[in-house]
Amino acid sequence: MYALNVDSRVPTKMARLTWFAVTDAAVGTNQRFLALGTNSPEIRLYSGALLQEQQIDSTDEAAASLLHCSMLKGHKEAVVALAASQDYLLSGSRDHSAILWKLNNANDAGSEGQAAAQLSAASSTTLSGHTDAVSAVALCNGK
């Protein structure tokens, strides 16, 4: 997986993704996280220095520690739709449900922009009762 710097058009290698298919992606409005929906029930939530536009050598093993991946678990089937705002993530799945995730820092390293600021789901609300897969979701731009 590569991240593309919009200004310089330079791709940066983020992670090796060879064992699952990405079905949707969403970036938080403040660019502090990247969420990936896949053909599995989990959501991969990336945060760290690579998303903060810090210059690092992506071939360096230490760089791997600058990109943290959390797994958000709650769906029973593939996650096919994602939407993000500053502190929330909304996911839709083939299991006929949507989940609203409230995100927070898992460990507060102190200063803003440090790689140790990892995200996790503080809480979630499941929206069930849909008659088919939830294949599109949206959030208002805000907190």
Side-chain angles (χ1 to χ4, degrees):
M1 177 174 69
Y2 289 85
L4 180 64
N5 183 313
V6 178
D7 297 324
S8 68
R9 304 278 190 229
V10 175
T12 301
K13 187 174 183 178
M14 292 178 61
R16 188 174 180 188
L17 306 177
T18 57
W19 47 273
F20 60 86
V22 175
T23 56
D24 201 4
V27 176
T29 55
N30 57 0
Q31 298 182 358
R32 75 177 178 144
F33 68 88
L34 167 68
L36 295 180
T38 69
N39 57 348
S40 72
E42 295 87 16
I43 299 167
R44 284 150 177 84
L45 185 66
Y46 293 93
S47 61
L50 287 177
L51 296 177
Q52 303 296 326
E53 295 186 25
Q54 295 180 16
Q55 297 297 319
I56 62 170
D57 179 2
S58 62
T59 61
D60 184 359
E61 282 189 29
S65 68
L66 299 176
L67 182 65
H68 177 74
C69 178
S70 299
M71 303 293 276
L72 301 182
K73 297 180 180 184
H75 287 291
K76 295 180 179 95
E77 292 187 32
V79 175
V80 295
L82 292 169
S85 67
Q86 183 173 333
D87 296 318
Y88 291 93
L89 178 67
L90 181 59
S91 59
S93 171
R94 290 188 183 136
D95 66 6
H96 303 196
S97 73
I99 299 178
L100 179 64
W101 308 87
K102 168 74 170 117
L103 304 177
N104 69 346
N105 287 335
N107 58 341
D108 220 346
S111 66
E112 202 171 295
Q114 286 189 352
Q118 300 170 357
L119 294 176
S120 66
S123 62
S124 64
T125 302
T126 301
L127 308 168
S128 57
H130 303 279
T131 59
D132 206 345
V134 179
S135 58
V137 294
L139 284 173
C140 290
N141 190 12
K143 293 184 177 188

